[in-house]
Amino acid sequence: MKAAKAATTAAPRKAATASKASAPRKAPKAESHLAMVRRARRINRELAEVYPYAHPELDFRNPFELLVATVLSAQTTDLRVNQTTPALFAAYPTPEDMAAAVPEEMEEIIRPTGFFRAKTKSLMGLSAALRDEFGGEVPGRLDDLVKLPGVGRKTANVVLGNAFGVPGITVDTHFGRLVRRWKWTDEEDPVKVEAVVAGIFPKSEWTMLSHRVVFHGRRICHARKPACGACPIAPLCPSYGEGETDPEKARKLLKYEMGGYPGQRLSPPADYPGKPAPALGAE
């Protein structure tokens, strides 16, 4: 009788346990906007410690050279641009010179950057506009820059932030990919991404934030296989685990100075801890 009663009592308990085990787990509590902003700002502070030397990875000596280099950087690496621009600027040092170039001769110089015919057309067009409308000088206003052939918001923000000291957020493929991975936004359109991120950070942080995020995307948080196990901001990343989590294997994925390799600039800033990139043909 007692055994029967025990069995009867145990049955509901087992059923309750089974029911509890099979019940769907509760989804993690959604992060509030305030919590996301705090996490995003902490990520920025952490990246500032990891990359105190973050900088634009295009070689330039003046606003015109930066503008040209940024236009050339579309669909290629900054390294390839930096290896190409010494010969380009030796041949055409000013907007006036570039506007008067023989297209076929310029195409041959910039051929290594790809899409050289379209880029030649843009460079000659923007150079003519600088000559004719701005006295041969690169304007320091966003509205003027985006009117130049081949110049969009990304290029304009690069030039404004790094040649004129005007704060701007540069949304390239690395920046957009990482801010989505960090759940700052799920927007895909670069203009919308820029607007969202601009609302998270004070204007004084915009330019350096752009450099830090891009540096991190190129060195650690890669598109195909991020080095999660070697990432200094892993505790703050909601996407941790998308890449390699084993520390030793992750370290082998690190790029540029983080992995002991040359950077992308032939003439990097004095505080850059890595090796200068090789000249064209010396790789």
Side-chain angles (χ1 to χ4, degrees):
M1 183 73 177
K2 287 183 179 179
K5 185 176 181 181
T8 305
T9 305
R13 287 179 182 172
K14 288 183 180 179
T17 303
S19 176
K20 186 176 181 180
S22 61
R25 294 182 179 181
K26 291 183 179 180
K29 187 177 180 180
E31 184 179 43
S32 70
H33 179 72
L34 179 59
M36 182 275 290
V37 169
R38 287 173 174 168
R39 180 171 58 83
R41 292 184 176 185
R42 186 176 171 191
I43 286 176
N44 182 42
R45 291 194 297 270
E46 295 282 344
L47 293 180
E49 293 185 9
V50 177
Y51 309 109
Y53 51 86
H55 59 273
E57 294 192 88
L58 291 168
D59 287 328
F60 69 98
R61 295 169 296 184
N62 54 57
F64 176 62
E65 289 190 357
L66 179 57
L67 177 60
V68 169
T70 307
V71 170
L72 285 176
S73 69
Q75 304 299 315
T76 191
T77 63
D78 287 356
L79 170 59
R80 187 61 71 200
V81 173
N82 292 335
Q83 292 173 325
T84 302
T85 50
L88 180 67
F89 294 136
Y92 315 108
T94 68
E96 290 81 2
D97 295 322
M98 194 167 284
V102 175
E104 292 76 15
E105 293 177 1
M106 186 186 294
E107 288 172 4
E108 199 56 37
I109 294 175
I110 68 171
R111 181 183 289 269
T113 69
F115 301 95
F116 54 91
R117 292 191 179 89
K119 289 178 180 179
T120 293
K121 184 177 180 181
S122 292
L123 292 181
M124 292 186 67
L126 71 83
S127 295
L130 293 177
R131 178 196 62 197
D132 298 339
E133 300 173 31
F134 299 100
E137 300 292 332
V138 176
R141 295 178 63 250
L142 180 68
D143 290 346
D144 292 330
L145 284 168
V146 296
K147 292 176 183 176
L148 299 173
V151 178
R153 285 187 69 90
K154 185 194 82 170
T155 296
N157 278 327
V158 169
V159 174
L160 290 173
N162 298 288
F164 293 99
V166 177
I169 295 172
T170 304
V171 183
D172 69 355
T173 54
H174 297 288
F175 191 95
R177 174 169 56 80
L178 265 63
V179 299
R180 285 187 289 273
R181 188 170 275 172
W182 292 334
K183 311 301 182 186
W184 294 1
T185 180
D186 58 3
E187 295 288 356
E188 296 281 346
D189 180 75
V191 176
K192 292 181 179 178
V193 171
E194 180 185 340
V196 170
V197 177
I200 297 174
F201 295 92
K203 187 177 290 189
S204 59
E205 287 291 313
W206 290 355
T207 299
M208 286 310 300
L209 169 71
S210 299
H211 293 324
R212 293 166 191 150
V213 173
V214 171
F215 256 57
H216 193 63
R218 285 175 170 166
R219 286 150 179 78
I220 297 178
C221 195
H222 313 132
R224 294 183 180 177
K225 197 171 185 180
C228 294
C231 180
I233 62 165
L236 299 170
C237 181
S239 299
Y240 175 80
E242 286 188 8
E244 180 59 66
T245 57
D246 179 84
E248 289 301 321
K249 292 180 180 178
R251 273 192 284 272
K252 294 178 181 179
L253 299 174
L254 302 181
K255 300 287 184 68
Y256 303 113
E257 76 281 357
M258 303 298 282
Y261 304 110
Q264 299 203 83
R265 292 188 70 163
L266 277 66
S267 302
D271 63 344
Y272 177 63
K275 305 170 186 175
L280 191 64
E283 297 101 320

